[in-house]
Amino acid sequence: MAGSSDRVADPATDPELACPTSAVVDIVFSRWTTPILWTLHTHGRQRFVELERRIGAITPKVLTQRLRQLERDGMVVRTYHPEVPPRVEYEITDLGRSLAPLFAHLTGWAATHLDQVEKARLAYDTDPSR
């Protein structure tokens, strides 16, 4: 009996294959990716505790997971310095920096449209027919 894993995905019917940006969205717009990349882009190379302090609400466990994923994706480079005590630094890569125009465009969109989003939400939430 053939399972669903035996089928070949069809780009015409598989939403993930039909929309090539879904992989980018998964990489770039995960919950903590944007603040991490923005912080490294703005403040340069940093140690873990510096990142944690600048980002604020992120837990050490989540920061570690996101940094590992960003390193795997080529967005961040981790440098280990074998000193006493050991020192680890994180830095955004050229690939990570290449996202700056995308973030700038999204910032412009937000400045122009977020007030419209808030009005739409308010209208939706206060609509008595809902």
Side-chain angles (χ1 to χ4, degrees):
M1 176 182 244
S4 62
S5 62
D6 294 338
R7 351 177 282 242
V8 175
D10 179 4
T13 58
D14 187 330
E16 288 187 31
L17 295 176
C19 181
T21 61
S22 62
V24 174
V25 169
D26 287 344
I27 293 167
V28 178
F29 297 109
S30 295
R31 172 71 173 100
W32 291 104
T33 298
T34 305
I36 292 168
L37 292 177
W38 181 87
T39 302
L40 290 172
H41 182 76
T42 303
H43 300 284
R45 180 183 305 136
Q46 294 183 53
R47 296 176 77 166
F48 185 90
V49 294
E50 294 171 308
L51 268 172
E52 186 180 24
R53 186 172 10 95
R54 283 200 164 106
I55 294 171
I58 194 168
T59 66
K61 177 183 176 183
V62 171
L63 180 56
T64 298
Q65 290 170 342
R66 293 308 312 144
L67 285 168
R68 285 183 183 153
Q69 186 63 50
L70 288 168
E71 184 180 10
R72 181 175 182 258
D73 291 339
M75 304 291 169
V76 168
V77 65
R78 177 185 184 269
T79 305
Y80 174 79
H81 302 277
E83 305 168 345
V84 178
R87 181 169 51 102
V88 177
E89 296 176 318
Y90 297 90
E91 187 172 10
I92 193 169
T93 63
D94 288 340
L95 181 60
R97 263 189 226 78
S98 72
L99 293 168
L102 173 65
F103 290 139
H105 186 75
L106 288 170
T107 300
W109 185 92
T112 303
H113 299 289
L114 276 185
D115 61 331
Q116 294 171 333
V117 171
E118 288 302 319
K119 287 177 185 173
R121 288 176 177 170
L122 181 61
Y124 181 93
D125 292 345
T126 57
D127 183 349
S129 67
R130 296 206 176 272

